[in-house]
């Protein structure tokens, strides 16, 4: 049984994570060993997130009425919560853990602008490249037209100079 002070401390820490999060994933963790849970937490932390086992009643207090209110209705059984800013990274860790251990079952997830995500959506999210790669691709896509425009601007004076040089050469040959 948790004391009131430790409950409040857990709620405060979980609430702080949720307030700054872009995604929350929920998975059943019944039957996992302590080593498996620690490995999972370590992977989530390495990807900039947090993973915590917290009583469902305490999690409901934090999630209800907030940005992730839609998840508050999916809380039953022994659950672990993955919270972080890069939904694809957390989804990848959870989906990989489920693939490695049949006792780890991804149940649901949520992002602030979306209702509850099902397992198929979480699996699709896990297949996305990391945020940095997506941003680099976006930047490359945005940069391409500008680079082409600059090349065109440089080509016009260059072409004009070559045309003048050809006219000069032709006039010098004719004389």
């Amino acid at each position: 049984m948790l004391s009131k002070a430790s409950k409040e401390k857990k709620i405060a820490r979980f609430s702080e994570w949720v307030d700054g999060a872009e995604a929350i994933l929920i998975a059943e963790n019944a039957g996992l060993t302590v080593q498996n849970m620690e490995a999972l937490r370590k992977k989530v932390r390495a990807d900039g997130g947090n993973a915590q086992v917290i009583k469902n009643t305490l999690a409901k207090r934090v999630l209800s009425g907030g940005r992730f209110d839609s998840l508050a209705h999916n809380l039953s059984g022994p659950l672990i919560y993955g919270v972080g800013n890069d939904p694809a990274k957390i989804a990848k860790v959870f989906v990989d853990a489920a693939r490695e251990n049949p006792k780890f079952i991804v149940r649901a997830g949520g992002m602030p602008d979306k209702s509850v995500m099902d397992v198929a959506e979480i699996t699709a999210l896990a297949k996305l490249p990391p945020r940095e790669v997506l941003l680099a691709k976006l930047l490359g896509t945005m940069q391409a037209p500008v680079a082409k425009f600059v090349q065109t601007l440089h080509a016009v004076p260059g072409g004009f100079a070559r045309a003048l040089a050809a006219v000069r050469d032709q006039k010098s040959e004719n004389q």
Side-chain angles (χ1 to χ4, degrees), residues 26-46:
I26 301 170
E28 288 183 30
N29 63 333
L32 289 181
T33 65
V34 173
Q35 291 84 7
N36 289 345
M37 289 296 289
E38 276 306 308
L40 178 73
R41 283 188 178 113
K42 212 179 267 188
K43 287 178 186 175
V44 172
R45 276 194 302 267

Side-chain angles (χ1 to χ4, degrees), residues 66-84:
R67 298 182 313 151
F68 297 98
D69 184 53
S70 57
L71 286 176
H73 309 292
N74 287 326
L75 309 180
S76 62
L79 301 175
I80 184 166
Y81 301 85
V83 182

Side-chain angles (χ1 to χ4, degrees), residues 57-72:
T57 54
L58 301 179
K60 281 180 186 177
R61 270 197 226 169
V62 173
L63 296 175
S64 293
R67 298 182 313 151
F68 297 98
D69 184 53
S70 57
L71 286 176

